[in-house]
Amino acid sequence: MTALHTPAHAGIPAGDVPTWTMLVDGAWTPAASGALDDVVTPAHRGRVIARVARAGREDVDRAVRAARAAFGPWSGEHFTVRQRALARIADAVEARSEELARLTAADTGNALRTQARPEVATLVDLFRYFAGVAGEVKGTTLPAGDGQLQYTRLEPLGVVGAILPWNSPLMIAGFKVPAALAAGNTVVLKAAEDAPLSVLLLAEICAGFLPPGVLNAFSGLGREAGAALVEHPGVDKLSFTGSTEVGRGVARHAGERLVPASLELGGKNPSIVFPDAVGDDLVPGLLASSRFARQGQSCTAGSRLFLHEDVHDEVLDRLVTAMGALTVGDPLDEASDIGAVINAKQFGAIDDYLRAGREDPAMSTALGGTAPVDGPLTEGYYHLPTVFSGARNEFRLAREEIFGPVLVVIPWREVDDVVRMANDSHYGLAAYVWGRDLDRTLTTAHRLQAGWIQVNQGGGQVVGQSYGGYKDSGMGREVSLEGMLAGFTQTKQVNVRLRG
Ligand code: NAD
């Protein structure tokens, strides 16, 4: 395993692994309790690659106070000050992109070549994009007659409490941090305890270009640091990405305190293939949309594949061949297409779904179906690509978010039926439609209940697009200028009587 980054701020001697503290008010400090959490790489069971300070209630309170103190001066700056800071951060992140990518591969298990590097590239784009639109936080004036000046200001909300999951920490930090800062807010950022390292390095880079307290960052347990942030009266906005279950709790607290919350939650996303979709680009597109290269640990994974009966066998065959050819291995190995799933708990949960799939006589195992039983892959939390065919939409494997490299294939014949099945889910995050007849594909796209539909492509979010879920997949939008304005500002109306 390649040597890991040793952070410049590593301050606490803790044996032979680096120790990361937390960024509060521009300084790196240990947790008040002195508690540390081990960060274990998914590539090797039990191998501790770092220790991180475990933030508690007192630490969260200090971070929120620092962010409150920094808010006035930061929000009072001309927008070009924020713009310059974000643009410089983008350059600095780009300059250290390999380091960030290696760190993210090591702590998330996402393969370096297929996932970690592209994720850092997206992060750079996001900082540049929000730097570019920082001057668009504009109000309006009303044609209210000569005796009146009536205008609005879009003002920042204050302190944003941002909570990240472990699956794509840098990209999701990029959805929140630059947008919140560009609009003039300050941020308290909580990394997921399973994959905090690249987020802390990002914070270190950002701190070089921001006044103290504008961005504060720490790792910690959800029920401690996460809950403390959600409940803190000094937080003016909550921006959460994670599971639907935890998201509901965040929304409940936000409701009680009457602070706005945006939630990006889970998904069980349909991918609908029409017969005329079959061509050379279909299988690569389906591979991308499956997010198998991220071990399926993506909320936007097209994990319910609806194949039209006329092309079912042909597409399944080609897809299984392509998925079977993917290399699963050490995330830091350039040869790996697929890395490791995040931890023992997630590994076990996927195993349970595989068992349920194998034991269901209605389904066939078209690919995989079991975790590796011997060899080097058993040293880490590695799962192999699995495809179950012959599924029906009401099966458990077609309804629950597995968050692993497991695809269920469901045959269909009539468009109305497939649209009904696709929409028969409490989730509504993303969907994919594949076909050459644009009338038909777009009409289908418009009928689907999801916040993000892709037609004939399966890649990830691109800067400037709207991103967010319908139904239990969340509320609020990110990644776009419109999302930033709606999510990180509030409108003030000013009516002035002019004496002439
Ligand atoms: P999770 O909900 O368990 O944890 C997410 C974050 O919330 C972590 O930082 C965790 O520490 C924190 N947390 C946990 N309990 C908390 C509490 N009581 N109060 C406050 N914070 C708390 O989710 P996860 O397992 O880290 O991530 C996987 C889930 O995230 C999946 O369901 C996935 O679909 C979803 N996800 C959604 C998106 C999206 O954009 N819609 C993106 C990535 C992941």
Side-chain angles (χ1 to χ4, degrees):
M1 181 92 143
T2 316
L4 286 160
H5 168 80
T6 304
H9 60 268
I12 304 173
D16 56 352
V17 296
T19 299
W20 298 69
T21 52
M22 49 193 196
L23 177 65
V24 177
D25 206 12
W28 289 93
T29 47
S33 67
L36 294 171
D37 283 319
D38 288 345
V39 180
V40 173
T41 178
H44 295 273
R45 290 168 196 251
R47 181 178 293 177
V48 176
I49 55 169
R51 292 194 176 85
V52 289
R54 182 198 294 171
R57 214 159 265 276
E58 197 179 319
D59 306 304
V60 173
D61 182 57
R62 277 203 308 125
V64 173
R65 284 173 194 278
R68 287 212 80 74
F71 174 65
W74 177 248
S75 59
E77 294 282 10
H78 192 276
F79 77 84
T80 51
V81 171
R82 293 187 287 277
Q83 189 161 53
R84 267 197 302 274
L86 294 178
R88 286 179 180 152
I89 291 170
D91 291 345
V93 168
E94 194 166 43
R96 293 178 74 176
S97 54
E98 186 63 13
E99 196 180 348
L100 279 159
R102 298 188 80 80
L103 206 51
T104 217
D107 76 353
T108 63
N110 290 342
L112 182 64
R113 176 176 51 81
T114 58
Q115 290 309 311
R117 284 195 190 115
E119 188 179 336
V120 180
T122 303
L123 176 70
V124 172
D125 286 348
L126 286 161
F127 269 94
R128 287 213 173 107
Y129 172 78
F130 285 111
V133 300
E136 297 304 314
V137 188
K138 293 173 182 165
T140 55
T141 54
L142 200 68
D146 289 341
Q148 284 278 312
L149 171 60
Q150 299 188 353
Y151 64 97
T152 60
R153 289 160 55 88
L154 292 190
E155 297 187 341
L157 293 159
V159 175
V160 172
I163 299 180
L164 303 178
W166 44 257
N167 62 336
S168 244
L170 284 180
M171 187 173 75
I172 294 166
F175 291 173
K176 302 182 189 304
V177 174
L181 296 180
N185 302 279
T186 55
V187 175
V188 177
L189 181 64
K190 184 205 162 304
E193 52 271 42
D194 284 299
L197 302 182
S198 57
V199 172
L200 293 174
L201 178 55
L202 172 65
E204 182 184 281
I205 295 170
C206 291
F209 304 93
L210 297 171
V214 169
L215 174 67
N216 308 273
F218 49 75
S219 173
L221 305 181
R223 63 179 183 277
E224 292 177 6
L229 189 56
V230 167
E231 292 162 20
H232 200 293
V235 173
D236 302 293
K237 151 93 193 191
L238 289 162
S239 178
F240 172 85
T241 299
S243 60
T244 295
E245 186 195 353
V246 175
R248 263 188 229 288
V250 171
R252 254 194 307 272
H253 282 289
E256 272 165 28
R257 291 195 41 235
L258 295 177
V259 296
S262 26
L263 308 169
E264 301 286 357
L265 309 175
K268 186 74 183 180
N269 311 291
S271 186
I272 300 174
V273 177
F274 282 92
D276 63 347
V278 177
D280 290 345
D281 52 351
L282 176 63
V283 166
L286 291 175
L287 266 184
S289 65
S290 73
R291 305 285 190 265
F292 272 20
R294 255 169 65 193
Q295 304 79 251
Q297 297 174 140
S298 164
C299 46
T300 59
S303 49
R304 283 186 292 155
L305 178 59
F306 293 96
L307 291 180
H308 191 275
E309 283 175 4
D310 288 352
V311 293
H312 177 279
D313 293 356
E314 177 190 351
V315 175
L316 180 61
D317 198 42
R318 286 165 62 176
L319 184 61
V320 160
T321 303
M323 286 178 160
L326 295 172
T327 302
V328 181
D330 189 323
L332 281 162
D333 188 335
E334 297 284 345
S336 300
D337 298 306
I338 303 180
V341 305
I342 188 73
N343 55 27
K345 184 173 165 219
Q346 194 64 19
F347 183 87
I350 296 168
D351 235 9
D352 287 345
Y353 282 110
L354 294 181
R355 190 174 313 111
R358 286 194 310 269
E359 288 173 359
D360 188 333
M363 287 194 287
S364 312
T365 308
L367 179 70
T370 49
V373 287
D374 51 31
L377 291 183
T378 55
E379 289 167 20
Y381 301 116
Y382 295 96
H383 268 294
L384 303 171
T386 285
V387 179
F388 290 118
S389 60
R392 290 207 301 275
N393 197 50
E394 59 270 24
F395 288 3
R396 181 178 156 229
L397 268 68
R399 303 198 77 75
E400 297 178 8
E401 185 184 47
I402 298 174
F403 233 52
V406 182
L407 185 67
V408 292
V409 180
I410 303 167
W412 66 277
R413 174 143 292 278
E414 302 299 331
V415 179
D416 285 349
D417 287 340
V418 77
V419 169
R420 183 187 42 74
M421 288 190 284
N423 287 338
D424 181 15
S425 168
H426 63 104
Y427 290 121
L429 187 56
Y432 304 84
V433 185
W434 310 85
R436 297 275 167 253
D437 179 340
L438 267 191
D439 271 355
R440 200 165 54 178
T441 47
L442 292 187
T443 305
T444 303
H446 297 172
R447 294 175 69 190
L448 294 176
Q449 296 161 358
W452 180 27
I453 318 277
Q454 295 204 71
V455 176
N456 293 326
Q457 61 178 17
Q461 296 89 337
V462 287
V463 292
Q465 76 158 85
S466 170
Y467 176 59
Y470 283 17
K471 301 194 269 187
D472 288 1
S473 291
M475 53 195 205
R477 294 293 178 269
E478 294 184 322
V479 190
S480 63
L481 168 62
E482 294 76 13
M484 168 180 111
L485 298 180
F488 293 115
T489 73
Q490 54 193 337
T491 303
K492 177 179 283 174
Q493 171 78 33
V494 183
N495 293 10
V496 184
R497 181 165 66 88
L498 298 174
R499 293 210 174 113

